[in-house]
Amino acid sequence: MSSTIDNRDKSTRSTRRRFLQGSSAVAGGFVLGAGASAAAETENLPPNVPDWMKAPGEPMGSQPYGAPSPFEKGVVKNISKNLKQYISASGRTPLQELDGIITPNGLFYERHHGGVPTIDPAQHRLMLHGLVERPLIFTMDDLRRFPSESRIHFLECSGNPGYAKPYGKTASDLVGLLSCAEWTGVSLKLVLQEAGLKPEAKWIIAEGADAAALTRSIPIEKCLEDAMLVYSQNGERLRPQQGYPLRLLLPGFEGNMNVKWLRRLHVTAEPAYSREETSKYTDLLPDGTAREFSFYMEAKSIITRPSGGQHLGAPGFHEITGIAWSGHGKIKRVEVSVDDGRSWQAAHLQEPVLTRALTRFRLPWQWDGKPAVIQSRAIDETEYVQPTLAELLAVRGENYFYHNNAIWPWRIAADGEVTNALA
Amino acid sequence: MRWRNICGSVLAFLLCASANTARAQSPYGIGRPATAAEIAGWNIDVGHDGSNLPKGSGSVSHGREVFAQQCASCHGDNGEGGLGDRLVGGQGTIGTAKPIRTVGSYWPYAPTLFDYIRRAMPQNAPQSLSDEDVYAVSAYVLNLNGLVGADATLDAKSLAAIKMPNRDKFVGDARPDVKK
């Protein structure tokens, strides 16, 4: 079915449109390639034997680490070419190009505030001090001696996306500051027990070993609930962009708090009110008050196929698929509308449905070839229902900036073009 | 009655015993003690009340010089912003359709300014400024925002005593605030 949804560049699409318009004999979604590449492809198509079967392929060892197929070279992080600066910036996951629920490490979204440090793990230390019985220092070898665990959780930047226009064209433009991985490390609770928390311990200030020495304050309850000190991601050691050799993981909490390159945990009675939790990552309401310490990412979903920038090649069967997630636990239900929100159908949730992880949903669909607006809404196990953008704006206004978990509709035109219905 | 006393005593004994165990011994024996000197070298956290601010002080006039050399290329000569955030102005705009969030208009605590400058600025050479220079730059930025006079010199006590204009405007997280 993938041949009916293309993601080609504009020139290819306009060529195809001209071709379709000029040839009433062409039926359905059958589309010929254009120009020289069509001739080259034909030689590899039935009944001919393709070139790659007529000579041996690359020998073992030609790629000691491995890389995607050269034909997938367009599947890369979505990094704006118009950033004010690149030391403190973000790059997005190409959500609409991915299947399943796991984000490949090379495509995991990035956000750093002082560049990506190169840290020798042999010289990295984690210091744990403050309101503890025994202040401690751990090497990476020390941390790997603790009982380990692996869990699948999403991570999302809280400003994903903002509340004010312009809105992005693609799913990645809109909510690409979102990824999901299997994380391996040690429960933070175990490490805190090693030091012994004093009764006055209420917060932990986590600090990164980057050039921003980024700090965030985390309630002790979260540290004892499901927080992890992570050293591996999807089976391999963390990438430098994700905090090598050690990061904090706070499942369901805004990305910025999941401090990378973690070097210090300061147990305190009060939060730090650091720059990141006062001037940033606070939510400004229309009346001039601002919400502070707003940590949870609420339930959210997005259709990734078909989605903005893609093209339905022909009417007929299409699978609608996307991802849903909630910082408050498991996704209970995802509903999809194909008639601009007038009616909703339950989508199929693909197993596994995990707490604070991406959940893949699917809905079979017969497109009649007429203009349509499709959208999804997530319901989590707390019965919270993903709201519309209008509902969010009515309460929060356009200055809020963080935690926009709005339903995002896609418009499908009669020619199959898919665009952002709210842009 | 007697039974209840015995139960109470046993319970109290068990609670004490478990608390003592938690204090006395680490479950895995992994890691080594951090010394006071090691902690002092790494713990640069400054509390919002000014706790853990270092000794020393800095004047607005010295801060003007340091700012011109270290900060102005990103934040503008007068803190008006550029590659880096705007630092000055915006007071009275926070509750409008076009809020301008700066140190003077938005930040709730002045010691946070010292903390952030010391740990992260200047962006190309963080942790390169002396504590005196950080006090001075903090004083200059606060002066540009009209929060201290041009002749001010700030130290731990006077920095912590500044009441930032927006301090009382922060509230707790009221979500879920939009729910069907």
Side-chain angles (χ1 to χ4, degrees):
Chain A
M1 278 299 144
S2 63
S3 64
T4 58
I5 297 178
D6 289 335
N7 191 19
R8 303 185 185 181
D9 64 35
K10 272 215 171 80
S11 62
T12 312
R13 277 204 296 271
S14 58
T15 305
R16 181 194 306 137
R17 267 202 300 280
R18 282 198 300 277
F19 180 75
L20 287 170
Q21 285 157 1
S23 172
S24 57
V26 174
F30 182 62
V31 174
L32 285 178
S37 66
E41 278 172 25
T42 305
E43 288 169 15
N44 289 317
L45 294 175
N48 302 322
V49 174
D51 289 344
W52 43 85
M53 295 184 74
K54 296 176 184 168
E58 289 192 21
M60 173 55 61
S62 60
Q63 282 191 11
Y65 190 86
S69 161
F71 296 99
E72 299 296 325
K73 66 183 177 192
V75 183
V76 292
K77 268 175 218 162
N78 172 5
I79 299 166
S80 171
K81 292 180 175 63
N82 304 308
L83 296 175
K84 241 163 126 180
Q85 53 157 305
Y86 287 79
I87 293 292
S88 176
S90 58
R92 293 155 191 271
T93 295
L95 296 171
Q96 66 277 8
E97 306 286 351
L98 302 181
D99 298 315
I101 62 170
I102 297 293
T103 310
N105 288 340
L107 298 175
F108 207 91
Y109 92 85
E110 292 179 45
R111 171 75 172 105
H112 355 99
H113 297 70
V116 179
T118 303
I119 297 178
D120 177 355
Q123 295 182 45
H124 188 73
R125 294 293 182 272
L126 175 68
M127 179 185 284
L128 171 51
H129 69 100
L131 296 172
V132 294
E133 301 292 347
R134 296 171 293 279
L136 292 170
I137 288 180
F138 301 99
T139 65
M140 287 308 301
D141 286 344
D142 289 339
L143 293 169
R144 290 180 62 80
R145 282 173 59 204
F146 279 100
S148 63
E149 60 180 307
S150 295
R151 287 194 263 129
I152 295 174
H153 290 300
F154 77 84
L155 199 61
E156 183 183 16
C157 178
S158 61
N160 189 41
Y163 292 75
K165 287 186 177 184
Y167 301 120
K169 290 186 167 69
T170 68
S172 176
D173 294 340
L174 278 174
V175 295
L177 297 172
L178 164 79
S179 304
C180 186
E182 184 199 48
W183 308 96
T184 301
V186 51
S187 154
L188 177 54
K189 185 180 181 179
L190 286 188
V191 178
L192 294 177
Q193 284 174 346
E194 203 66 3
L197 287 178
K198 290 187 173 175
E200 319 89 271
K202 294 284 183 282
W203 294 81
I204 294 185
I205 303 166
E207 180 185 70
D210 58 335
L214 188 140
T215 43
R216 286 298 306 262
S217 310
I218 303 132
I220 198 76
E221 294 80 13
K222 183 66 174 177
C223 297
L224 296 174
E225 184 196 356
D226 61 353
M228 292 174 77
L229 302 180
V230 163
Y231 40 73
S232 283
Q233 179 180 357
N234 291 334
E236 65 177 7
R237 295 286 187 272
L238 289 171
R239 299 276 174 107
Q241 295 80 1
Q242 297 305 324
Y244 181 88
L246 187 71
R247 81 172 303 165
L248 187 60
L249 189 78
L250 304 171
F253 274 24
E254 60 190 25
N256 178 261
M257 300 179 72
N258 295 250
V259 174
K260 300 191 282 190
W261 314 292
L262 184 73
R263 76 161 194 159
R264 195 161 58 89
L265 294 169
H266 184 184
V267 184
T268 60
E270 290 196 80
Y273 293 90
S274 69
R275 181 255 196 183
E276 300 297 333
E277 54 206 30
T278 52
S279 80
K280 311 287 178 185
Y281 303 99
T282 49
D283 296 315
L284 182 54
L285 290 156
D287 68 358
T289 62
R291 292 175 181 166
E292 60 185 3
F293 304 122
S294 48
F295 302 144
Y296 275 101
M297 303 306 290
E298 293 181 289
K300 193 164 171 179
S301 69
I302 186 113
I303 293 171
T304 53
R305 199 160 50 101
S307 65
Q310 296 174 347
H311 184 91
L312 295 185
F317 181 81
H318 295 277
E319 181 182 74
I320 293 174
T321 183
I323 43 179
W325 63 100
S326 170
H328 284 289
K330 287 182 182 168
I331 289 296
K332 184 175 185 181
R333 201 162 74 248
V334 176
E335 296 171 346
V336 171
S337 171
V338 296
D339 58 6
D340 205 3
R342 284 187 288 278
S343 66
W344 297 83
Q345 320 172 47
H348 171 70
L349 302 188
Q350 177 180 284
E351 295 289 338
V353 177
L354 301 167
T355 193
R356 295 166 180 160
L358 292 189
T359 295
R360 172 67 58 174
F361 65 86
R362 306 177 190 285
L363 184 81
W365 181 44
Q366 291 285 343
W367 180 43
D368 60 10
K370 294 177 184 159
V373 173
I374 63 171
Q375 59 201 302
S376 63
R377 68 181 177 202
I379 296 100
D380 69 18
E381 61 181 328
T382 71
E383 296 292 343
Y384 174 89
V385 181
Q386 184 183 1
T388 64
L389 182 63
E391 287 169 330
L392 283 173
L393 289 172
V395 173
R396 301 179 182 175
E398 288 193 358
N399 296 336
Y400 203 80
F401 196 77
Y402 298 106
H403 306 291
N404 179 352
N405 63 324
I407 292 170
W408 218 282
W410 301 114
R411 183 181 309 284
I412 297 168
D415 67 358
E417 292 285 346
V418 188
T419 54
N420 183 344
L422 298 181
Chain B
M1 187 70 183
R2 187 163 169 255
W3 176 238
R4 192 181 294 170
N5 281 345
I6 292 172
C7 272
S9 308
V10 169
L11 187 62
F13 173 76
L14 287 175
L15 285 174
C16 283
S18 73
N20 283 335
T21 309
R23 234 190 301 278
Q25 208 173 1
S26 54
Y28 293 98
I30 297 176
R32 68 162 177 84
T35 67
E38 287 174 328
I39 294 170
W42 273 23
N43 178 19
I44 57 171
D45 294 344
V46 171
H48 66 288
D49 56 358
S51 57
N52 204 32
L53 274 168
K55 290 182 184 132
S57 63
S59 67
V60 169
S61 59
H62 179 54
R64 184 179 293 113
E65 292 166 18
V66 179
F67 190 92
Q69 291 163 10
Q70 304 280 355
C71 319
S73 60
C74 287
H75 292 287
D77 289 339
N78 298 300
E80 70 273 21
L83 212 54
D85 284 354
R86 178 169 172 174
L87 304 174
V88 172
Q91 291 175 28
T93 68
I94 296 303
T96 71
K98 287 199 167 32
I100 299 167
R101 298 188 232 194
T102 72
V103 171
S105 68
Y106 197 67
W107 289 38
Y109 298 104
T112 305
L113 185 58
F114 183 99
D115 178 82
Y116 183 64
I117 295 169
R118 179 167 65 170
R119 68 175 57 245
M121 292 290 126
Q123 196 181 45
N124 62 338
Q127 303 203 33
S128 64
L129 298 181
S130 68
D131 289 344
E132 285 73 19
D133 284 352
V134 177
Y135 273 118
V137 173
S138 303
Y140 180 59
V141 171
L142 292 166
N143 171 253
L144 287 174
N145 278 292
L147 297 172
V148 300
D151 57 349
T153 293
L154 292 183
D155 60 9
K157 201 174 164 195
S158 51
L159 182 63
I162 294 169
K163 182 164 185 203
M164 300 293 273
N166 201 42
R167 184 193 293 186
D168 298 330
K169 290 291 189 179
F170 288 87
V171 297
D173 182 9
R175 295 176 305 154
D177 53 353
V178 181
K179 194 169 180 177
K180 284 177 194 170

